[in-house]
Amino acid sequence: MLQKLHILAIGLLLFSTVFASVHIPSAHADGTIEVSTDVLNVRDKPDANSLVISKVLRGETYPVVDTKGEWIKIQVTSSKAGWVASYLVTDKQGSASPAGNSESTDGVQVLTDDLRVRSGPGTSFNVIGFVQSTDSVSFLDQNENWVKIRTSGLEGWVSSEFVSIQTKKKKKKETTDSQEQENESTPRSATIITDGLNIRSEPSTQSKVLGTLSNGTVVDVLSQKSGWLKISFEGETGWIHSDYADLHTDSGNEAPSKKKGSSSATISVSGLNVRNEPNLNGKIIDQISQGTDVTIISERNNWCEIEYANGNTGWVAGWFLERKSLSANPGNGNVTGDGSIIILDNGTNIRSEPSTTAKVVYRANEGETFSIKGLENDWYKIELSDGTTAYVAGWIVTTKGQSPTITRAGSEQYLRNKVIVIDPGHGGKDVGAIGVQGTYEKDLTLRTSRLLQDKLKAAGATVYLTRQNDSFVSLPARARTANHHGADVFISVHYDSIEDSSVTGTTTFYYGGADQQLADSVHQSLIQLTNLRDRNVRQENYLVLRENMQPSLLLELGYISNRGEELTILSSDFQERAATGIYQGLAHYFRDR
């Protein structure tokens, strides 16, 4: 009897061992991450001391198969999965789509005429043009207050209040010969008309990104399919959306020459390595000094193929390039073509000479238009209704027709190339404060942080969020994110609660004396824009500040334990003003340093 029990125990042990070794894949991926550091170790266990089984590079994306604490398990290849630190990657929201029918954005219906298009998501950004209710407008991106659009070569942000985002049903993928057309009518080539156009593995915005293309790049077109182009470029094939390509119908036998992209940039660091391949394993073939102007030919996984001195080409890390605007500097003299300016604000001064000290000869109101006769420095020479000429500052109006737009750098000039880490407080199992109506602080902090992120990115800053969704991140990991990226500023966003429901207002906290200037700049801007009670700037020993080696703040933007203030905070208007206040405060801080 004992012998039989012994044999049975051994059998059960072997059975459980076999099944324990079988890999059971996750039922579905929890999303996709993008690597946000140069080289990231993939480990066999969620432990910094475990075995490194692979390495992944900045900009590469991988599906998520599991999470555990501060670690994320990613599928590196079809047969290999491993763990990476969550604070060294960025969550790519919406990258995974369920099977079956789903809705996707199709276009944008503009609900009013002369809707202002801005360079960024906020009224502090320059007006770069207008759209009409009859215009065909493509959807690019959105947050709760602003929508990013593209129309007739114009790309920018409009207020979500005046547009309707159209959606269409997408059917399950069906591949038939009739869907993919490849015949004599297929254009042989196309020119890319936007920067950073994604090349995808399939004709879908949900498919894997293989690389990117720059404005002006010419590609071979192999076939067309439902608004997508199958293209060949430098020996690789993929899919791009036809909205962002200018098709050529030349039926000649000669293949089009590969034009160099018209996107230009300046090297922002000293001694930048040029490599023969778009990764850190590529051989170093040259070095370029800081300030050198280069032309971007193509892009792949955050690496840029550039042309520099004497026609040399090679690959450099794209995050060390400062991109230039594609628009030419208008200079002086007469303007060719039909053009006019549009007044943006009531009481705009029209002057006798191109100077802010010149006599005001007329005060124009919003919507008035004037023909452009020339340019002198940054002033438009215009014709008034009585036939006389006068001048208006180019940076306070916008244009239509064939005339160049003049802009003056605003707050964005102080934020360009800065590294900002935004920390949406709480998350996951940690809901934070709970409001009178049951509002969770963790939801509010993420709303504010996303709005702020969009503004900073539009200004040219590099932005990292410590969490992109409703997930738990430990306090030490939040501080480590800022330290790892060498952030110029770390901002921890919070809302407050207290038993005394009469308490209201905004408080800004800092840890070290060196951060008081930062605290003063952001706090002053916040109070000015939100109009909440000023609870002052205070020094405090919070862990995310104490363990942070970078300039850092913790903001308590308002009290959700007060019924009236909770209602105010919940509004989109307040969220927009709070994000703008932080944005402007950061700009003032960098300006005054």
Side-chain angles (χ1 to χ4, degrees), residues 59-112:
E60 295 177 346
T61 58
Y62 297 93
V64 176
V65 296
D66 197 4
T67 60
K68 186 175 182 180
E70 298 169 18
W71 293 83
I72 296 175
K73 191 173 186 180
I74 61 173
Q75 195 72 42
V76 182
T77 67
S78 59
S79 60
K80 182 187 294 184
W83 297 86
V84 294
S86 62
Y87 58 90
L88 299 179
V89 299
T90 302
D91 180 22
K92 302 290 286 184
Q93 291 192 60
S95 56
S97 64
N101 291 347
S102 62
E103 288 191 347
S104 69
T105 55
D106 184 21
V108 176
Q109 175 62 54
V110 179
L111 305 178
T112 183

Side-chain angles (χ1 to χ4, degrees), residues 123 371 398 425:
T123 55
S371 297
T398 191

Side-chain angles (χ1 to χ4, degrees), residues 343-361:
I343 302 298
L344 297 176
D345 298 294
N346 291 332
T348 296
N349 290 329
I350 310 295
R351 299 181 182 270
S352 60
E353 300 292 336
S355 169
T356 55
T357 59
K359 179 183 177 181
V360 176
V361 296

Side-chain angles (χ1 to χ4, degrees), residues 242-308:
S242 60
D243 284 351
Y244 307 108
D246 183 12
L247 299 174
H248 309 303
T249 56
D250 180 14
S251 59
N253 293 327
E254 290 187 14
S257 60
K258 297 293 188 294
K259 296 180 182 178
K260 301 301 182 185
S262 60
S263 178
S264 60
T266 302
I267 305 301
S268 61
V269 294
S270 59
L272 179 60
N273 290 330
V274 183
R275 300 178 185 270
N276 66 345
E277 295 179 0
N279 56 63
L280 291 171
N281 297 320
K283 180 182 177 182
I284 297 174
I285 58 176
D286 208 343
Q287 275 197 341
I288 307 179
S289 59
Q290 187 172 8
T292 301
D293 291 331
V294 299
T295 299
I296 299 174
I297 302 172
S298 64
E299 300 180 55
R300 190 181 306 163
N301 271 333
N302 279 349
W303 286 77
C304 295
E305 185 183 15
I306 62 165
E307 181 181 20
Y308 55 106

Side-chain angles (χ1 to χ4, degrees), residues 17-332:
T17 302
V18 169
F19 273 83
S21 65
V22 174
H23 173 66
I24 303 174
S26 299
H28 64 278
D30 295 326
T32 304
I33 59 90
E34 179 178 311
V35 181
S36 55
T37 187
D38 290 345
V39 181
L40 178 60
N41 290 329
V42 182
R43 300 182 181 275
D44 66 338
K45 297 178 182 179
D47 186 331
N49 296 317
S50 63
L51 179 66
V52 176
I53 60 172
S54 184
K55 292 180 183 290
V56 292
L57 304 177
R58 180 189 292 271
E60 295 177 346
T61 58
Y62 297 93
V64 176
V65 296
D66 197 4
T67 60
K68 186 175 182 180
E70 298 169 18
W71 293 83
I72 296 175
K73 191 173 186 180
I74 61 173
Q75 195 72 42
V76 182
T77 67
S78 59
S79 60
K80 182 187 294 184
W83 297 86
V84 294
S86 62
Y87 58 90
L88 299 179
V89 299
T90 302
D91 180 22
K92 302 290 286 184
Q93 291 192 60
S95 56
S97 64
N101 291 347
S102 62
E103 288 191 347
S104 69
T105 55
D106 184 21
V108 176
Q109 175 62 54
V110 179
L111 305 178
T112 183
D113 285 329
D114 296 323
L115 178 61
R116 297 177 184 181
V117 183
R118 296 183 180 273
S119 59
T123 55
S124 58
F125 290 91
N126 288 321
V127 175
I128 58 175
F130 291 83
V131 289
Q132 310 301 323
S133 58
T134 55
D135 289 343
S136 176
V137 179
S138 299
F139 172 90
L140 297 179
D141 199 0
Q142 72 177 125
N143 59 37
E144 67 175 272
N145 295 323
W146 296 87
V147 178
K148 191 175 185 181
I149 63 163
R150 181 182 178 86
T151 177
S152 302
L154 180 67
E155 186 174 300
W157 295 80
V158 297
S159 172
S160 60
E161 181 181 356
F162 302 106
V163 297
S164 173
I165 299 174
Q166 309 297 307
T167 59
K168 64 180 179 181
K169 289 288 184 180
K170 294 178 66 180
K171 296 181 179 180
K172 289 182 179 180
K173 182 181 176 181
E174 298 176 357
T175 304
T176 65
D177 293 338
S178 61
Q179 281 183 301
E180 188 170 333
Q181 303 168 355
E182 186 172 1
N183 50 43
E184 293 180 359
S185 65
T186 299
R188 295 177 178 273
S189 64
T191 301
I192 306 305
I193 59 175
T194 186
D195 267 326
L197 177 62
N198 288 329
I199 307 172
R200 296 188 179 271
S201 60
E202 299 291 340
S204 165
T205 56
Q206 310 300 330
S207 62
K208 181 180 178 181
V209 175
L210 304 176
T212 55
L213 295 169
S214 298
N215 189 305
T217 303
V218 174
V219 296
D220 294 327
V221 178
L222 305 178
S223 62
Q224 300 181 74
K225 179 179 178 181
S226 304
W228 289 80
L229 303 176
K230 188 175 184 179
I231 60 109
S232 173
F233 182 70
E234 295 188 340
E236 296 189 5
T237 60
W239 293 86
I240 62 172
H241 202 282
S242 60
D243 284 351
Y244 307 108
D246 183 12
L247 299 174
H248 309 303
T249 56
D250 180 14
S251 59
N253 293 327
E254 290 187 14
S257 60
K258 297 293 188 294
K259 296 180 182 178
K260 301 301 182 185
S262 60
S263 178
S264 60
T266 302
I267 305 301
S268 61
V269 294
S270 59
L272 179 60
N273 290 330
V274 183
R275 300 178 185 270
N276 66 345
E277 295 179 0
N279 56 63
L280 291 171
N281 297 320
K283 180 182 177 182
I284 297 174
I285 58 176
D286 208 343
Q287 275 197 341
I288 307 179
S289 59
Q290 187 172 8
T292 301
D293 291 331
V294 299
T295 299
I296 299 174
I297 302 172
S298 64
E299 300 180 55
R300 190 181 306 163
N301 271 333
N302 279 349
W303 286 77
C304 295
E305 185 183 15
I306 62 165
E307 181 181 20
Y308 55 106
N310 300 321
N312 293 324
T313 62
W315 293 87
V316 297
W319 54 96
F320 293 128
L321 295 178
E322 181 177 344
R323 297 174 187 262
K324 297 181 178 180
S325 172
L326 297 175
S327 59
N329 187 10
N332 295 334

